[in-house]
């Protein structure tokens, strides 16, 4: 830019325009500032996704874009507020006349070397005046705004609102109850029998709710016909089965095991009870022999000659039987879900309350019929610049709406003047290695399709971390690039579409093959990684007891380690990440005995307070005065003094106490009644219990404002809804999902010995491509029975299994990359030295080629880096000179002695 360029400013602001840097300086002088090509950024953990998105947003604003023409979306309110805060703070600091360093940082960030401070100040002023028109929001907020802009097109009820998670559960249950009441009893029995493959469950409502939770979100993207796409072959003729049964029964092999097996096949065919052969090894071997053209064997034993035809009859009979049951189950599922959807939408429409998915699906259907003019007029301006954050967690329904904005913002509309610039821009950032919300509908593969669906997208890789120490990143890279060292990959040598292990091995190999080498900009930052075993269980009673005790020991050893780190480095933050909320609760319990200040992300139900339980017992007493449990509880607490004073101790009974409290609720309302009960308990309550009582009162107020009155439902709400304690602490315990986007000086991972994936048991979708609605749906079939499915369905089931293992690897990656300087992994002592389980701990053990024996308790298996990692590089100049710390295969050594009070399990 010419150094003699003059900048002119107009203090007056015209509401209809939004001048920016492009209005102050000619585009010829700006060079290529106006050229913002559609960009897709693949950003690994800690590489500055928010920084890049903020830089793009600032460039767009400096270019002269109106605030209402910009849309920036992310997945959490915290992330959205962080983006907006960074924009405003960056401009404010750069506009400060005494902060030349901030101005230089802004110039470097937006790539405008000659950016004057006065332009920054003017942009900040204009942005603050129009902050309400700048859309930096979550997808939930965006879709709600869109829905309120098109209420009639979407068929929304007047004064509608969004349901919270607890209310959504209630509406589902009411829809199931309505469905069961309106169906004839024989119809209900028949449907339930088909849903359970011939087995009628005891609880009708529970079984229907289970089906709804497994398949409803997939079903509503299409019509019920997708459940009737499974082809079932014809069964063998009865004469064929009788003849085959005779061949099996007459065979006389020399081996007793083979003879018993053939007798089993003969009896099953003769009695027509072939379902017992569904997962038989001999039948599976026969099917595989058809592909390999090898001789059929049972173990190492050969079969008598001439049985191939009889085996084929048995195979066709079993296949027909199993697929017929599966098709009946699918058809029943589709029928139940169709009826359930009808009653659910009726209930929600009458209550004027919708779930977020309802809004997204209606928008998806409506956006196909909208034009640009209609959208711009309803949304107070045309959206020309789109910035999408955490795109790997986008669901197909969400993308169907965002695709419209993405395609429009990527259009290159060239103005007529010589110094014209591009008005529209598209920016998308994400990381498929951090796709951990598949259970919520996210499809990471959509991220890979953006380049095909958005014209002219340029892809950018970001693998240089601005968060972690090189020691931590070296371990992360070595782990994920060497996953194939585990038996989950090396043990699967064949590519069989009917074998689940083949898909899992392919998914792990693909993840390792595509994993980039991570580097860091903080090359002199000290780091430390340690893997150790926990204390051993004491006196296990039976197999299940030993397993539970091992988990408890692991949590307790982790708590001791956390306390040690905190005592040594009290100013450093520690993140304790688990896979389950159960482990979070157990760790909180252990840490609470160490007098440490600990916060829990996501919160707990208010029932973790004894005083709240007392209030709930009083409310339950009102609803059930004849149940003596509630009155017994209340009469043994300080609330008794309140009832004695208001009723009289000589007249106090469960009936009189319930009647008095009921009158209070009817006269004053639920919230004042609870506040009065809480005021009686507060003098004897601690700080935490007092806080929980205040939160209970707020929950009651929200409950009443929504028009609810039933005490039983309020008690259930309190027992189920998670409420956070507003507490700042150096130690934070949470699940890995809740840790997404966070970072800590030290991370402790105490729950890596659980199975990588759980039994699916859900709904399998056959899609033409990622992000498309399913063309066929099926209920789950055990992996041992996949050989009976058509190959198309084998691959659909396999892709589901591959997706589950990939998400498990993403979860491990997110957990390990939250650490800035220290990473501690605690695992239980193992049963054998091979340690070849399908767990995250086993993957790490083999990927790092650890040689120490994992059977020994309280032992260090692996250690690398600086144990005194909290010291700065200036305090440790030798570390700056030796960035690559050699990995040491350590001799086993015991952990420091543990006080007996902490050794108790």
């Amino acid at each position: 830019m010419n150094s003699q360029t003059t900048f002119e400013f107009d203090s007056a602001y015209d509401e209809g325009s939004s001048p920016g840097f492009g209005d102050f300086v000619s585009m010829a002088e700006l060079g290529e500032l106006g050229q913002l090509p559609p960009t897709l950024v693949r950003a690994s953990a800690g590489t500055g996704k928010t920084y890049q998105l903020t830089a793009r947003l600032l460039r767009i604003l400096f270019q002269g874009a109106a605030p209402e023409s910009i849309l920036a979306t992310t997945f959490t309110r915290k992330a959205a507020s962080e983006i907006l805060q960074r924009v405003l703070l960056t401009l404010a600091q750069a506009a400060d006349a005494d902060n030349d360093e901030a101005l230089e940082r802004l110039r470097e960030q937006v790539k405008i070397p000659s950016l004057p401070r006065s332009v920054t100040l003017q942009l900040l002023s204009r942005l603050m005046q129009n902050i309400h028109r700048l859309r930096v929001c979550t997808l939930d907020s965006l879709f709600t705004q869109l829905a309120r802009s098109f209420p009639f097109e979407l068929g929304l009820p007047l004064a509608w609102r969004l349901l919270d998670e607890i209310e959504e559960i209630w509406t589902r249950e009411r829809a199931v109850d309505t469905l069961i009441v309106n169906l004839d009893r024989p119809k209900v029995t028949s449907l339930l029998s088909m849903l359970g493959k011939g087995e009628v469950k005891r609880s009708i409502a529970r079984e229907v709710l289970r089906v709804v939770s497994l398949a409803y979100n997939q079903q509503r993207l299409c019509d019920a016909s997708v459940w009737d796409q499974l082809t079932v072959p014809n069964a063998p003729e009865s004469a064929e089965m009788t003849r085959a049964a005779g061949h099996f029964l007459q065979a006389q092999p020399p081996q007793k095991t083979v003879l018993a097996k053939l007798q089993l096949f003969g009896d099953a065919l003769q009695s027509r009870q072939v379902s017992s052969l569904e997962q038989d090894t001999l039948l599976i071997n026969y099917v595989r022999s058809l592909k390999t053209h090898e001789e059929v064997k049972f173990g190492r034993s050969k079969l008598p000659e001439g049985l191939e035809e009889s085996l084929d009859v048995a195979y066709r009979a079993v296949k027909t039987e199993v697929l017929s049951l599966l098709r009946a189950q699918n058809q029943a599922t589709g029928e139940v879900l169709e009826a359930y959807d009808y009653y659910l939408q009726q209930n929600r429409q009458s209550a004027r309350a919708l779930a977020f998915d309802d809004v997204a699906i209606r928008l998806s259907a409506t956006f196909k019929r909208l034009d640009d003019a209609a959208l711009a007029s309803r949304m107070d301006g045309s959206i020309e610049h789109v910035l999408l954050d955490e795109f790997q967690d986008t669901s197909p329904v969400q993308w169907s709406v965002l695709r419209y904005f993405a395609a429009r913002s990527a259009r290159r509309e060239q103005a007529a003047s010589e110094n014209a610039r591009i008005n529209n821009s598209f920016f998308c950032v994400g990381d498929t290695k951090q796709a951990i919300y598949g259970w919520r509908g996210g499809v990471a593969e959509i991220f890979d399709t953006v380049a095909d669906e958005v014209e002219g997208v340029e892809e950018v890789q970001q693998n240089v971390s601005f968060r972690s120490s090189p020691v931590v990143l070296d371990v992360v890279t070595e782990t994920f690039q060497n996953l194939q060292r585990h038996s989950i990959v090396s043990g699967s040598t064949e590519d069989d579409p009917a074998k689940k292990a083949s898909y899992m091995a392919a998914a792990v190999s693909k993840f390792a093959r595509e994993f980039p080498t991570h580097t860091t900009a903080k090359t002199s930052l000290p780091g430390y990684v340690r893997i150790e075993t926990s204390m051993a269980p004491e006196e296990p009673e039976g197999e299940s007891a030993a397993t539970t005790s091992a988990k408890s020991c692991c949590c307790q050893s982790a708590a001791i380690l956390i306390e040690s780190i905190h005592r040594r480095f009290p100013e450093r933050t520690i993140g304790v990440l688990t896979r389950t909320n159960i482990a979070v609760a157990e760790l909180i319990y252990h840490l609470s005995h160490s007098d440490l200040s600990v916060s829990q992300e996501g919160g707990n139900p208010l029932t973790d307070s004894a005083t709240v339980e007392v209030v709930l017992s009083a409310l339950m007493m009102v609803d059930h005065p004849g149940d003596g449990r509630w009155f017994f509880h209340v009469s043994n607490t300080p609330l008794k003094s309140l009832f004695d004073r208001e009723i009289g101790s000589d007249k106090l009974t469960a009936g009189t106490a319930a009647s008095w409290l009921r009158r209070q609720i009817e006269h004053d309302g639920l919230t004042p009644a609870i506040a009065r009960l809480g005021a009686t308990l507060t003098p004897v309550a601690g700080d935490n219990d007092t806080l929980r009582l205040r939160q209970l009162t707020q929950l009651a107020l929200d409950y009443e404002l929504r028009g609810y009155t039933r005490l039983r439902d309020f008690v259930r709400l309190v027992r189920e809804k998670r409420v956070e304690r507003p507490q700042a602490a150096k130690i934070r315990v949470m699940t890995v999902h809740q840790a997404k986007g966070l970072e800590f000086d030290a991370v402790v991972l105490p729950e890596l010995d659980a199975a990588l994936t759980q039994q699916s048991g859900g709904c399998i979708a056959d899609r033409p491509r990622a992000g498309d609605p399913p063309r066929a749906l099926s209920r789950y079939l055990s992996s041992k029975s996949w050989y009976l499915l058509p190959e198309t369905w084998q691959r659909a089931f396999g892709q589901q299994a591959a997706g589950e293992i990939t998400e498990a690897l993403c979860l491990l990656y997110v957990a390990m990359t939250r650490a800035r300087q220290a990473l501690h992994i605690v695992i239980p002592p193992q049963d054998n030295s091979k340690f070849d389980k399908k767990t995250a701990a086993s993957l790490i053990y083999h990927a790092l080629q650890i040689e120490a024996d994992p059977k020994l308790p309280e032992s260090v298996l692996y250690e690398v880096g600086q144990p005194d990692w909290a010291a700065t590089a200036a305090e440790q100049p030798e570390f700056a000179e030796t960035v690559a710390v050699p990995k040491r295969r350590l001799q086993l050594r015991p952990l420091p002695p543990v006080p007996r009070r902490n050794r108790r399990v």
Side-chain angles (χ1 to χ4, degrees):
M1 181 181 297
N2 189 338
S3 60
Q4 297 181 351
T5 301
T6 301
F7 298 91
E8 299 177 359
F9 306 96
D10 182 6
S11 58
Y13 176 64
D14 181 7
E15 187 73 25
S17 63
S18 182
F21 195 53
D23 295 294
F24 311 143
V25 188
S26 70
M27 292 308 298
E29 292 170 329
L30 286 176
E32 295 297 317
L33 175 61
Q35 302 296 322
L36 296 176
T39 306
L40 183 146
V41 180
R42 298 181 181 272
S44 296
T47 58
K49 295 193 299 292
T50 305
Y51 177 86
Q52 294 295 338
L53 191 142
T54 304
R56 182 66 168 242
L57 181 54
L58 286 168
R59 283 173 63 91
I60 292 170
L61 288 168
F62 278 123
Q63 190 172 298
E68 64 271 17
S69 70
I70 300 173
L71 169 64
T73 70
T74 187
F75 275 81
T76 64
R77 293 189 183 96
K78 183 177 180 180
S81 64
E82 182 182 357
I83 293 170
L84 187 57
Q85 181 181 358
R86 285 200 186 188
V87 169
L88 297 178
L89 191 59
T90 299
L91 289 174
Q93 290 175 341
D96 184 358
D98 297 326
N99 198 341
D100 293 335
E101 183 180 351
L103 179 60
E104 286 302 321
R105 288 199 302 268
L106 176 59
R107 288 169 174 171
E108 181 181 357
Q109 185 176 8
V110 298
K111 303 296 187 294
I112 309 176
S114 301
L115 177 66
R117 176 175 280 114
S118 52
V119 171
T120 301
L121 180 60
Q122 187 174 13
L123 177 59
L124 175 63
S125 173
R126 290 170 175 172
L127 192 57
M128 291 303 296
Q129 295 176 48
N130 289 269
I131 196 68
H132 60 287
R133 307 183 78 181
L134 181 63
R135 296 185 183 91
V136 180
C137 56
T138 64
L139 286 178
D140 295 24
S141 176
L142 170 65
F143 285 13
T144 302
Q145 180 184 356
L146 291 172
R148 297 193 190 283
S149 300
F150 298 93
F152 303 110
E153 290 84 348
L154 300 181
L156 298 176
L158 295 175
W160 67 277
R161 63 181 179 84
L162 284 175
L163 294 165
D164 68 21
E165 54 183 343
I166 303 299
E167 289 180 295
E168 192 169 346
I169 293 173
W170 292 354
T171 59
R172 290 177 182 177
E173 292 176 352
R174 285 195 289 268
V176 169
D177 292 341
T178 308
L179 183 152
I180 294 172
V181 168
N182 284 277
L183 289 178
D184 296 331
R185 184 171 296 274
K187 182 71 170 177
V188 171
T189 304
S190 174
L191 282 175
L192 283 178
S193 177
M194 288 189 290
L195 285 175
K197 291 187 177 181
E199 299 179 5
V200 179
K201 308 293 182 181
R202 286 187 177 183
S203 174
I204 297 175
R206 188 179 303 164
E207 177 64 14
V208 175
L209 277 171
R210 190 179 76 86
V211 171
V212 165
S213 64
L214 292 175
Y216 178 62
N217 287 336
Q218 297 279 7
Q219 149 83 31
R220 63 188 313 194
L221 300 178
C222 37
D223 56 67
S225 64
V226 294
W227 289 101
D228 197 18
Q229 301 299 314
L230 182 65
T231 303
V232 179
N234 295 326
E237 298 290 340
S238 180
E240 285 186 272
M241 296 179 67
T242 302
R243 185 164 55 251
H247 288 165
F248 284 123
L249 294 173
Q250 292 171 10
Q252 296 295 324
Q255 302 90 346
K256 292 182 179 180
T257 54
V258 178
L259 178 62
K261 178 63 68 176
L262 297 182
Q263 291 287 331
L264 176 66
F265 270 65
D267 292 340
L269 287 172
Q270 194 171 48
S271 63
R272 304 299 192 263
Q273 301 295 322
V274 295
S275 58
S276 61
L277 306 177
E278 178 182 346
Q279 297 180 5
D280 195 279
T281 305
L282 178 57
L283 204 59
I284 295 174
N285 291 344
Y286 166 72
V287 175
R288 289 179 181 168
S289 71
L290 297 178
K291 298 179 180 179
T292 61
H293 305 290
E294 297 177 354
E295 186 178 8
V296 185
K297 291 184 178 180
F298 180 62
R300 297 184 179 181
S301 304
K302 295 183 178 181
L303 300 182
E305 295 183 2
L307 286 179
E308 287 79 5
E309 185 177 346
S310 299
L311 283 170
D312 184 66
V313 172
Y315 166 64
R316 288 188 287 124
V318 171
K319 184 174 184 178
T320 302
E321 177 81 9
V322 172
L323 296 187
S324 295
L325 284 173
L326 182 59
R327 183 172 66 179
Q329 186 184 29
N330 289 345
Q331 291 171 338
T333 300
E335 192 170 346
V336 166
L337 291 179
E338 195 170 29
Y340 166 80
D341 181 69
Y342 172 77
Y343 293 117
L344 180 68
Q345 298 307 326
Q346 267 196 338
N347 290 344
R348 288 179 175 174
Q349 198 79 4
S350 61
R352 298 181 179 181
L354 301 176
F356 173 68
D357 286 344
D358 295 327
V359 175
I361 288 174
R362 296 191 189 197
L363 282 172
S364 176
T366 303
F367 262 54
K368 299 174 182 177
R369 305 190 299 269
L370 293 179
D371 56 21
D372 293 350
L375 192 61
S377 63
R378 299 287 185 91
M379 293 192 67
D380 188 28
S382 175
I383 293 178
E384 300 175 350
H385 308 275
V386 173
L387 302 94
L388 307 177
D389 188 24
E390 299 288 359
F391 191 75
Q392 74 281 348
D393 295 322
T394 304
S395 72
V397 174
Q398 293 166 347
W399 174 233
S400 66
V401 177
L402 294 175
R403 182 190 285 120
Y404 170 84
F405 295 111
R408 189 183 185 285
S409 65
R411 297 175 195 162
R412 291 176 171 266
E413 298 178 354
Q414 198 78 17
S417 65
E418 181 179 356
N419 293 328
R421 59 184 173 83
I422 298 173
N423 293 321
N424 300 349
S425 66
F426 173 77
F427 184 83
C428 175
V429 61
D431 182 16
T432 54
K433 302 189 298 301
Q434 298 186 68
I436 60 175
Y437 291 107
W439 53 274
R440 204 171 60 182
V443 178
E445 291 81 0
I446 294 178
F447 189 66
D448 297 324
T449 67
V450 171
D452 300 327
E453 298 193 30
V454 178
E455 183 181 356
V457 167
E458 296 181 2
E459 293 196 29
V460 178
Q461 292 277 351
Q462 285 184 195
N463 297 312
V464 179
S465 173
F466 295 90
R467 171 191 299 163
S468 301
S469 159
V471 176
V472 173
L473 290 183
D474 285 349
V475 170
V476 169
T477 299
E478 185 176 355
T479 297
F480 288 98
Q481 287 186 348
N482 295 288
L483 293 172
Q484 68 279 2
R485 292 171 178 166
H486 194 276
S487 60
I488 197 172
V489 176
S490 59
S492 180
T493 57
E494 55 181 326
D495 182 17
D496 186 349
K499 287 188 67 176
K500 184 177 181 178
S502 299
Y503 296 99
M504 296 178 69
V508 174
S509 296
K510 182 175 182 290
F511 199 95
R513 185 172 60 253
E514 296 179 354
F515 192 88
T517 299
H518 285 35
T519 58
T520 179
K522 299 185 175 182
T523 55
S524 61
L525 183 66
Y528 182 59
V529 177
R530 181 162 120 167
I531 304 173
E532 60 193 71
T533 55
S534 68
M535 60 181 71
E538 296 180 4
E539 300 179 2
E541 299 177 2
E543 184 178 351
S544 61
T547 302
T548 304
S549 184
K551 291 180 180 179
S552 180
C553 286
C554 194
C555 287
Q556 191 165 352
S557 291
I560 296 168
L561 172 64
I562 294 161
E563 181 180 4
S564 172
I565 297 172
H566 180 69
R567 301 295 184 204
R568 190 177 182 190
F569 312 120
E571 297 304 316
R572 299 303 183 119
T573 58
I574 303 173
V576 188
L577 312 183
T578 71
R579 290 185 61 178
T580 62
N581 286 309
I582 295 175
V584 170
E586 185 164 1
L587 281 161
I588 291 287
Y589 170 78
H590 288 304
L591 290 169
S592 64
H593 293 284
S594 303
D595 298 326
L596 299 177
S597 178
V598 182
S599 68
Q600 177 181 348
E601 200 82 7
N604 259 348
L606 296 180
T607 49
D608 60 3
S609 166
T611 53
V612 171
E613 283 284 13
V614 174
V615 175
L616 296 185
S617 290
L619 297 179
M620 291 299 291
M621 180 181 66
V622 174
D623 253 12
H624 304 280
D627 191 336
R629 293 176 298 169
W630 313 117
F631 179 69
F632 177 81
H633 186 197
V634 171
S635 62
N636 285 278
T637 69
L639 281 185
K640 184 177 185 300
S641 62
L642 173 65
F643 288 109
D644 286 341
R645 186 171 61 252
E646 297 293 338
I647 299 171
S649 58
D650 57 332
K651 299 178 182 179
L652 184 62
T653 65
T656 57
S659 297
W660 177 82
L661 186 54
R662 183 182 298 109
R663 287 195 300 272
Q664 297 296 312
I665 294 173
E666 291 173 351
H667 184 268
D668 299 329
L670 178 62
T671 304
I674 288 178
R676 187 172 185 181
L677 296 176
T680 305
L681 295 170
T682 298
V684 295
D687 293 340
N688 286 334
D689 288 328
T690 302
L691 170 64
R692 285 314 210 185
L693 285 173
R694 288 201 299 267
Q695 291 175 326
L696 177 66
T697 306
Q698 182 61 49
L699 203 60
L701 179 61
D702 295 340
Y703 182 79
E704 287 189 294
L705 289 175
R706 294 187 177 186
Y708 296 117
T709 57
R710 294 178 61 179
L711 294 181
R712 184 176 59 185
D713 286 344
F714 175 71
V715 171
R716 181 181 172 189
L717 172 68
V718 175
R719 295 193 181 283
E720 294 179 355
K721 189 175 183 64
R722 295 181 176 275
V723 182
E724 288 192 36
R725 297 173 187 250
Q727 177 184 3
K730 295 295 183 181
I731 304 172
R732 300 173 67 182
V733 185
M734 65 193 76
T735 64
V736 180
H737 288 94
Q738 292 164 341
K740 183 74 174 295
L742 303 179
E743 57 184 69
F744 310 92
D745 293 321
V747 166
V748 179
L749 305 179
E751 199 188 14
L752 297 185
D753 202 47
L756 279 172
T757 60
Q758 303 297 325
Q759 182 71 18
S760 180
C763 157
I764 307 300
D766 179 21
R767 304 177 186 274
R769 60 176 182 170
D772 287 349
R775 59 187 172 195
L777 291 172
S778 175
R779 296 287 296 276
Y780 189 75
L781 190 66
S782 170
S783 59
K784 294 182 179 179
S785 302
W786 288 5
Y787 74 99
L788 299 169
L789 292 166
E791 187 169 335
T792 301
W793 277 109
Q794 288 175 355
R795 299 197 179 279
F797 275 68
Q799 290 304 316
Q800 175 91 351
E804 290 171 355
I805 197 76
T806 300
E807 186 167 338
L809 295 175
C810 292
L811 199 68
L812 178 60
Y813 173 76
V814 169
M816 295 178 70
T817 54
R818 299 309 94 190
R820 293 193 193 102
Q821 292 184 259
L823 175 63
H824 291 264
I825 297 173
V826 184
I827 63 175
Q830 300 303 306
D831 299 330
N832 59 73
S833 300
K834 290 185 177 180
F835 196 13
D836 55 356
K837 298 178 180 179
K838 293 179 181 178
T839 65
S842 180
L843 284 172
I844 296 173
Y845 181 88
H846 289 281
L848 297 178
Q849 294 183 316
I850 299 175
E851 300 171 358
D853 190 351
K855 295 188 300 182
L856 298 178
E858 300 181 86
S859 300
V860 176
L861 303 181
Y862 180 91
E863 187 178 35
V864 58
Q866 301 285 343
D868 193 18
W869 52 268
T872 63
E875 295 169 337
Q876 295 185 0
E878 71 280 2
F879 184 83
E881 298 173 4
T882 312
V883 175
V885 181
K887 297 178 176 58
R888 304 193 300 276
R889 310 303 180 192
L890 302 179
Q891 296 294 325
L892 291 182
R893 54 184 175 84
L895 293 171
V898 181
R900 290 303 304 174
R901 67 180 179 85
N902 288 331
R903 292 289 295 271
R904 188 168 59 254
V905 179

